[in-house]
Amino acid sequence: MNQKLNINNKHYKKAANLESLNMFKGQLYETIVTTQSNEHVKNAAPIGVICKDSNHIVIHLDNCVHTHLNILENGELIVNITKNPLIFTYSTLGELDDEYFNQFNDFPMIKDSLGFFKAHVIKTIEKKRENDYNDGIGNVVTCEVEDIYISDNNEIVPLNRAMNAVIESLVYYCRFNHKYKDKQDIIWTHMKELNRVCQKVGNESEKESMKLILDKMREKNEYLD
C-alpha cells in the first residue's frame, strides 16, 4: 500500500478504498470523469458520482454525449477529484483543451488532480429519466473501482452539492430580514431549491442543518409554505 506514482512530477500514493478519498457510501460527489473512445479520442465531463460502497460507484448517464458513448463503448473511465472551477466550466461548455490532461497507463486523466481512480463498468441498466430537467432515456451504470491514488501533501475533500447548498442557505438566511423584505419571496424560492438538492444528495448532518435553517426562517415569517 506504499506504492508511489509520479505523473509529470506530480506525486501520488496508492490508497486502499474510496474512504481514503473521503468518499463515503450513499453520498454523491461532483467530479470530472475522463474517458476515451476506441480510437483514443479523449473526453472530460463533470459527472456526479455516487458511492455504492468502498469499491463501487454508480453514475447516471444521459446528456453527456461523448462520455456516455465512450463508457458504453469500452466500459473504462477515470474519476478525477479537482476543485479547479475552470476545468468544470470548460468541460461543461465545450471540449477540454489538451493542456488540462495527463495520462495514467495510457488513459486520460486530469492534470494536477487531488486524487483519482480508474474504474470499469460491471452493470448497465437502461432507465427513463423523469425530472424537471430531463425526460429522456439514460443509463444507470455501476462500476468497480480499480486503482486509487491520492496526491501527496493534499487533504482530499471532494465537492458535494449538499454542503455548498447549506453554505448558500446560510447566506440567504442572513439576508432574510426587514432590510430585504421585498425580496423574501425570491429568497424563499431559492431556499426551497437548495433544500431539494440537500435532500437528494446530502448526508444526515447536511439535512439536519438545512432543517434548522428552514425552521428558523419560518419563525421569521409565519406565511412561508
Side-chain angles (χ1 to χ4, degrees):
M1 216 28 73
N2 294 319
Q3 193 171 339
K4 297 283 187 176
L5 180 68
N6 187 319
I7 302 177
N8 288 351
N9 298 319
K10 181 83 171 179
H11 299 284
Y12 294 89
K13 56 188 176 184
K14 195 163 188 178
N17 50 44
L18 293 175
E19 282 91 343
S20 303
L21 296 173
N22 281 319
M23 299 177 71
F24 300 102
K25 181 179 178 180
Q27 293 295 289
L28 183 148
Y29 300 95
E30 302 303 324
T31 71
I32 299 293
V33 169
T34 46
T35 60
Q36 66 181 2
S37 68
N38 287 342
E39 289 72 38
H40 299 284
V41 178
K42 55 183 174 288
N43 179 254
I47 301 285
V49 170
I50 303 168
C51 289
K52 184 176 181 181
D53 56 40
S54 296
N55 292 288
H56 295 85
I57 60 168
V58 175
I59 56 178
H60 293 262
L61 299 175
D62 28 56
N63 293 328
C64 45
V65 178
H66 291 132
T67 297
H68 194 165
L69 292 176
N70 289 346
I71 290 176
L72 294 182
E73 187 173 77
N74 56 53
E76 301 291 331
L77 61 148
I78 284 181
V79 176
N80 302 267
I81 310 300
T82 180
K83 292 186 176 180
N84 186 333
L86 285 175
I87 292 176
F88 279 94
T89 302
Y90 290 148
S91 59
T92 300
L93 301 182
E95 299 297 331
L96 197 64
D97 289 342
D98 285 344
E99 65 181 285
Y100 291 100
F101 286 98
N102 262 334
Q103 293 282 319
F104 170 72
N105 291 345
D106 297 321
F107 202 90
M109 62 170 287
I110 296 298
K111 188 181 293 183
D112 296 328
S113 290
L114 299 175
F116 68 91
F117 58 87
K118 185 83 183 292
H120 65 273
V121 175
I122 59 173
K123 183 179 180 181
T124 301
I125 300 175
E126 190 175 88
K127 187 175 182 180
K128 185 173 178 61
R129 299 275 279 165
E130 294 181 351
N131 53 50
D132 292 340
Y133 308 103
N134 192 319
D135 59 0
I137 297 294
N139 292 95
V140 180
V141 179
T142 302
C143 302
E144 184 174 14
V145 174
E146 300 171 355
D147 299 304
I148 306 172
Y149 284 93
I150 304 172
S151 175
D152 277 355
N153 305 317
N154 274 306
E155 181 181 357
I156 307 297
V157 182
L159 294 173
N160 179 288
R161 291 177 66 202
M163 184 61 190
N164 292 341
V166 170
I167 298 302
E168 190 70 12
S169 295
L170 289 169
V171 173
Y172 281 127
Y173 172 79
C174 293
R175 294 175 177 174
F176 198 71
N177 53 39
H178 66 280
K179 184 177 178 181
Y180 295 92
K181 189 172 183 179
D182 61 327
K183 294 184 173 63
Q184 285 192 0
D185 287 344
I186 295 173
I187 290 174
W188 187 244
T189 298
H190 289 314
M191 286 296 303
K192 289 194 290 185
E193 172 59 17
L194 292 168
N195 182 52
R196 183 194 69 79
V197 170
C198 195
Q199 296 306 314
K200 182 178 180 181
V201 302
N203 59 29
E204 291 307 311
S205 294
E206 290 154 347
K207 291 177 182 178
E208 178 62 19
S209 297
M210 186 63 73
K211 181 181 183 303
L212 290 170
I213 298 168
L214 293 175
D215 286 347
K216 276 292 186 181
M217 292 178 78
R218 289 188 178 100
E219 286 180 15
K220 290 185 176 185
N221 189 332
E222 62 183 275
Y223 299 105
L224 296 177
D225 58 19

